[in-house]
Coordinates of all heavy atoms in Angstrom, one line a residue:
P19 N 87.6 82.3 132.2 CA 89.0 81.8 132.5 C 89.5 81.0 131.3 O 88.7 80.2 130.8 CB 88.7 81.0 133.8 CG 87.4 81.6 134.4 CD 86.6 82.0 133.2
F20 N 90.8 81.2 131.0 CA 91.4 80.4 130.0 C 91.3 78.9 130.1 O 91.4 78.5 131.4 CB 92.8 80.8 129.8 CG 93.5 80.1 128.8 CD1 93.3 80.3 127.5 CD2 94.4 79.1 129.3 CE1 94.0 79.5 126.5 CE2 95.0 78.4 128.2 CZ 94.8 78.6 126.9
G21 N 90.9 78.1 129.2 CA 91.1 76.7 129.2 C 89.8 76.0 129.7 O 89.8 74.9 129.9
A22 N 88.7 76.8 129.9 CA 87.5 76.1 130.4 C 87.0 75.2 129.3 O 86.4 75.5 128.4 CB 86.5 77.1 130.6
S23 N 87.3 73.9 129.6 CA 86.9 72.8 128.7 C 87.2 73.1 127.1 O 86.5 72.6 126.3 CB 85.3 72.4 128.9 OG 84.6 73.5 128.3
A24 N 88.3 73.8 126.8 CA 88.6 74.3 125.6 C 89.0 73.0 124.8 O 88.7 72.9 123.5 CB 89.7 75.2 125.5
A25 N 89.7 72.0 125.3 CA 90.0 70.8 124.4 C 88.8 69.9 124.1 O 89.0 68.9 123.4 CB 91.2 70.0 125.2
D26 N 87.7 70.0 124.9 CA 86.6 69.1 124.7 C 85.7 69.7 123.7 O 85.9 69.6 122.5 CB 86.0 68.8 125.9 CG 86.8 68.2 127.0 OD1 87.7 67.3 126.5 OD2 86.9 68.5 128.2
K27 N 84.5 70.1 124.2 CA 83.5 70.7 123.3 C 83.4 72.1 123.5 O 83.5 72.7 124.5 CB 82.2 70.1 123.6 CG 81.0 70.6 122.6 CD 79.8 70.0 123.0 CE 78.7 70.4 122.0 NZ 78.5 71.7 121.6
S28 N 83.4 73.0 122.5 CA 83.3 74.5 122.6 C 81.9 74.8 123.2 O 80.9 74.1 123.0 CB 83.4 75.2 121.3 OG 82.5 74.6 120.3
P29 N 81.8 75.9 124.0 CA 80.6 76.1 124.6 C 79.6 77.0 123.8 O 78.8 78.0 124.2 CB 81.0 77.1 125.9 CG 82.2 77.7 125.3 CD 82.9 76.7 124.4
W83 N 90.2 81.4 122.3 CA 90.7 80.0 122.6 C 89.4 79.0 123.0 O 89.7 77.8 122.6 CB 91.7 80.1 123.8 CG 92.6 81.2 123.4 CD1 92.8 82.5 124.2 CD2 93.5 81.2 122.5 NE1 93.7 83.2 123.5 CE2 94.1 82.5 122.4 CE3 93.8 80.5 121.4 CZ2 95.1 83.0 121.5 CZ3 94.7 80.9 120.4 CH2 95.4 82.2 120.5
E84 N 88.5 79.4 123.8 CA 87.4 78.5 124.0 C 86.7 78.0 122.8 O 86.0 77.1 122.9 CB 86.5 79.2 125.0 CG 85.6 80.2 124.5 CD 84.6 80.7 125.5 OE1 84.2 80.1 126.4 OE2 84.2 81.9 125.3
F86 N 88.1 76.8 120.2 CA 88.7 75.6 119.6 C 88.5 74.2 120.2 O 89.4 73.5 120.4 CB 90.2 76.1 119.6 CG 90.7 77.1 118.6 CD1 90.8 78.3 118.9 CD2 90.9 76.6 117.4 CE1 91.1 79.2 118.0 CE2 91.4 77.5 116.4 CZ 91.5 78.9 116.7
G87 N 87.2 74.1 120.6 CA 86.9 72.7 121.1 C 87.1 71.7 120.1 O 87.2 72.0 118.8
A88 N 87.3 70.4 120.4 CA 87.4 69.2 119.7 C 86.3 69.2 118.6 O 86.6 68.6 117.4 CB 87.6 68.0 120.4
D89 N 85.2 69.6 119.0 CA 84.0 69.5 117.9 C 84.2 70.5 116.7 O 83.5 70.3 115.8 CB 82.7 69.9 118.8 CG 82.7 71.3 119.4 OD1 83.8 71.6 119.9 OD2 81.7 72.0 119.3
R106 N 97.7 69.6 121.7 CA 96.9 70.6 122.4 C 97.8 71.2 123.6 O 97.5 72.5 123.9 CB 95.7 69.9 123.0 CG 94.7 70.8 123.5 CD 94.3 71.7 122.4 NE 93.4 72.8 122.9 CZ 92.3 73.3 122.4 NH1 91.8 72.6 121.3 NH2 91.7 74.2 122.9

Side-chain angles (χ1 to χ4, degrees):
F20 175 75
S23 69
D26 300 323
K27 183 178 182 325
S28 61
W83 315 115
E84 69 177 336
F86 281 95
D89 59 318
R106 191 59 189 228

